[in-house]
Amino acid sequence: MCVLLIEAFYGGSHKQLMDLLQEELQEDCVLCTLPAKKWHWRARTAALYFMQTVPISPNYRILFASSVLNLAELTALRPDLGKLKKVLYFHENQLVYPVQKCQERDFQYGYNQIISCLVADVVVFNSAFNMESFLTSIGKFMKLIPDHRPKDLEEIIRPKCQVLYFPVRFPDVSRFMPEHKLAHFEKVIGAKRSGDAYQTVVLPGQQKCRALMKTSHAASKSGLCEAQPRLHTTQHEGLPSPLIAVARLNKSEASESTNPCQEEDKQHLTFNLSNILSGQGYQQRPLHIVWPHRWEHDKGPETFFEVLLKLKEKDLPFHVSVLGEAFSEIPDIFSEAKKALGSSVLHWGFLPRKDDYFQALCMADVVISTAKHEFFGVAMVEAVYCGCYPLCPKALVYPEIFPAEYLYSTPEQLFKRLQNFCKRPDIVRKHLYKFYGIRCFSPVLGICGCQNARIKQGTTGHQFPMEYIVGPVTVCKHPI
């Protein structure tokens, strides 16, 4: 069996998922990609590009692609690919994606995703919120068509749909953590310190599952699409797991930021990072707030900075790190807020090295989301793993992932929570995050969509091992 992996926007979480699948499948896959640039053009024209560059092979059995690709166009242009079992993965959906200015061309992106679902055999979403918001919006969305509208599309697509939470990988961040976080880390993860290292604690019943996962891991390279010159592979240690997977991450550096607004802050970032790791005792430092999101309007930066400036006006002590990547168009609020926040800023800008990024998260106390849209929220999950107290909107995907005590309904509620934490930072530094049970799945199931396979939902209890978080799962190896 050979799986054809196609990613029209090979960057961020899209790249992370493809790399994980490629690692799991090893020599049984071919990966074809386009660089993560000019998203709108990728959504419009990627099918034509892949028509010419995907190698013809009689060995393909499955086609796995993200919803950026117009799958209907590709399968029409390449009838040989239309015969495969087609799996479509939704990182986000365009039916509820917020736009600053509605234009006629925006209809095309949602329309592409709908017709892609119609030709797919299995449609996978990274959260229930993503799936339900897409399916329940189809009817309203199609009313934008002036006349002769298609009917019952939701009923046709829904039976194909399922939720498989996005698998998140982490390095061992214990070396970056202040002492109070290390104590919490040991309680939550179930790890035991031995000198400067940590030993994995395996819970009862997990030995068999871990052994099963490891047997599928051999050190060999996957087949690549030779026609794609910018394609490269990333090898990871460890294995994919369910909602959250904890594994050792390679120390490879991400591509350097080319944004001049962030380039000028590199020395500033390093200098402040060294300052926070020395000097004044950690428990005596002001509350450290982190915002680790893309510098774009859909992440709600205006709300975040309005709340911080209100804290500043009341002379409440806090530090802030504004991480995340910026692109060609940066909302004006970022430059305005940086100036207004002044000495409260510890970090400002994208940290391309993963170690620097996780170190900054480990030194923070509270992580904030003010997103107007979120279908999973990898950055928030990463920050919580690094010991940050999360504050998220009581909307979107967040109630699906985070317990109610970490959710707020209005900016005023967010302000009041942060005001209290600024006065008493020890509250969050003593807090032990309350995890939900972790639901497990096998990537093989997501690829094959086999009706004979069943996921057994369960939890691992109140402790999680450090290397992997695993639980009862049936791995499908059923031939298609």
Side-chain angles (χ1 to χ4, degrees):
M1 179 186 75
C2 185
V3 179
L4 174 60
L5 304 173
I6 299 180
E7 179 51 68
F9 197 77
Y10 189 59
S13 60
H14 292 237
K15 179 181 183 298
Q16 185 176 340
L17 179 60
M18 287 298 179
D19 288 347
L20 185 152
L21 291 173
Q22 186 186 34
E23 176 190 344
E24 176 74 13
L25 294 165
Q26 299 177 21
E27 71 276 3
D28 292 329
C29 73
V30 173
L31 173 62
C32 296
T33 71
L34 275 167
K37 296 179 180 179
K38 304 182 186 301
W39 179 89
H40 296 95
W41 283 106
R42 297 291 184 256
R44 293 174 190 153
T45 66
L48 191 59
Y49 173 82
F50 288 122
M51 175 200 75
Q52 297 181 327
T53 57
V54 171
I56 296 175
S57 172
N59 298 322
Y60 300 146
R61 301 292 299 280
I62 300 162
L63 190 163
F64 184 100
S66 77
S67 61
V68 176
L69 175 70
N70 188 325
L71 188 59
E73 286 184 352
L74 180 62
T75 54
L77 293 166
R78 285 284 300 269
D80 59 315
L81 302 182
K83 298 174 184 178
L84 307 178
K85 190 173 189 73
K86 297 170 289 295
V87 181
L88 189 68
Y89 190 90
F90 276 72
H91 293 266
E92 61 280 315
N93 79 73
Q94 293 302 309
L95 302 195
V96 295
Y97 199 94
V99 293
Q100 288 178 293
K101 182 180 179 181
C102 186
Q103 302 178 39
E104 286 187 11
R105 65 176 173 82
D106 293 327
F107 176 84
Q108 191 65 40
Y109 305 129
Y111 179 76
N112 288 354
Q113 290 187 328
I114 290 171
I115 62 174
S116 291
C117 289
L118 291 171
V119 301
D121 298 296
V122 181
V123 183
V124 182
F125 293 83
N126 61 358
S127 67
F129 168 73
N130 193 2
M131 182 177 74
E132 289 301 324
S133 65
F134 177 80
L135 292 172
T136 57
S137 298
I138 292 175
K140 179 181 178 181
F141 182 82
M142 297 308 288
K143 288 181 180 179
L144 295 172
I145 300 174
D147 55 12
H148 301 288
R149 303 182 187 104
K151 299 178 180 179
D152 304 323
L153 295 183
E154 178 185 347
E155 287 73 15
I156 296 171
I157 295 171
R158 183 176 284 275
K160 305 178 181 184
C161 298
Q162 58 181 287
V163 174
L164 294 179
Y165 287 102
F166 188 84
V168 183
R169 289 175 174 268
F170 302 105
D172 176 3
V173 298
S174 58
R175 64 191 187 280
F176 300 140
M177 287 182 167
E179 192 62 31
H180 76 280
K181 281 195 177 183
L182 281 177
H184 292 176
F185 190 75
E186 292 171 4
K187 290 178 183 178
V188 174
I189 303 300
K192 295 181 180 179
R193 260 191 290 184
S194 177
D196 293 330
Y198 277 80
Q199 298 174 343
T200 301
V201 177
V202 182
L203 301 180
Q206 291 180 334
Q207 291 279 15
K208 182 178 180 181
C209 185
R210 182 176 301 181
L212 175 63
M213 296 172 77
K214 285 188 175 181
T215 56
S216 64
H217 235 63
S220 61
K221 294 184 178 179
S222 299
L224 302 178
C225 175
E226 296 179 0
Q228 168 55 15
R230 301 194 61 169
L231 182 65
H232 63 279
T233 62
T234 302
Q235 298 293 330
H236 296 282
E237 294 183 39
L239 293 164
S241 85
L243 173 58
I244 300 177
V246 184
R248 295 183 297 274
L249 188 68
N250 274 0
K251 295 183 179 180
S252 58
E253 295 185 7
S255 58
E256 292 288 333
S257 170
T258 56
N259 190 286
C261 177
Q262 295 186 335
E263 284 287 321
E264 66 185 13
D265 289 321
K266 283 183 179 177
Q267 185 176 358
H268 173 71
L269 293 173
T270 305
F271 175 78
N272 279 296
L273 187 58
S274 63
N275 280 352
I276 198 171
L277 292 173
S278 60
Q280 183 183 8
Y282 188 85
Q283 293 290 359
Q284 283 71 49
R285 292 192 181 102
L287 184 76
H288 184 178
I289 301 166
V290 65
W291 193 83
H293 311 287
R294 283 184 289 105
W295 291 20
E296 294 186 306
H297 74 97
D298 60 290
K299 296 302 181 183
E302 292 83 3
T303 299
F304 176 68
F305 289 123
E306 285 172 8
V307 169
L308 288 196
L309 292 175
K310 193 173 178 181
L311 295 174
K312 189 85 171 174
E313 289 172 4
K314 292 187 174 291
D315 292 323
L316 292 167
F318 67 89
H319 288 149
V320 62
S321 293
V322 180
L323 310 179
E325 192 168 4
F327 298 94
S328 56
E329 296 182 9
I330 301 175
D332 293 337
I333 188 63
F334 283 93
S335 58
E336 297 167 3
K338 182 182 178 184
K339 182 177 180 181
L341 291 169
S343 60
S344 295
V345 174
L346 280 179
H347 307 282
W348 195 268
F350 181 55
L351 293 172
R353 291 187 67 253
K354 278 292 187 180
D355 274 2
D356 292 341
Y357 173 70
F358 281 110
Q359 188 170 13
L361 293 181
C362 285
M363 300 311 297
D365 298 307
V366 180
V367 60
I368 306 294
S369 171
T370 47
K372 298 176 183 177
H373 105 277
E374 192 62 80
F375 297 109
F376 184 78
V378 173
M380 292 298 292
V381 174
E382 288 174 337
V384 169
Y385 177 73
C386 291
C388 295
Y389 187 106
L391 288 173
C392 319
K394 191 176 182 180
L396 310 171
V397 73
Y398 295 118
E400 190 176 337
I401 297 176
F402 296 97
E405 67 181 281
Y406 304 112
L407 308 176
Y408 65 87
S409 298
T410 65
E412 183 62 26
Q413 286 184 6
L414 174 61
F415 168 76
K416 289 180 179 178
R417 297 289 297 274
L418 288 175
Q419 178 180 239
N420 187 35
F421 292 159
C422 286
K423 295 176 180 178
R424 291 281 311 279
D426 60 297
I427 294 174
V428 293
R429 290 169 187 165
K430 293 177 181 177
H431 180 78
L432 187 62
Y433 180 79
K434 296 175 177 61
F435 280 93
Y436 276 151
I438 304 301
R439 285 176 286 180
C440 300
F441 71 89
S442 165
V444 179
L445 174 66
I447 291 172
C448 76
C450 173
Q451 296 303 310
N452 294 333
R454 295 289 182 269
I455 296 175
K456 298 179 182 179
Q457 294 190 0
T459 66
T460 60
H462 66 283
Q463 288 185 317
F464 308 112
M466 186 171 184
E467 187 177 4
Y468 311 117
I469 296 179
V470 295
V473 61
T474 298
V475 178
C476 175
K477 298 287 187 180
H478 186 77
I480 297 173

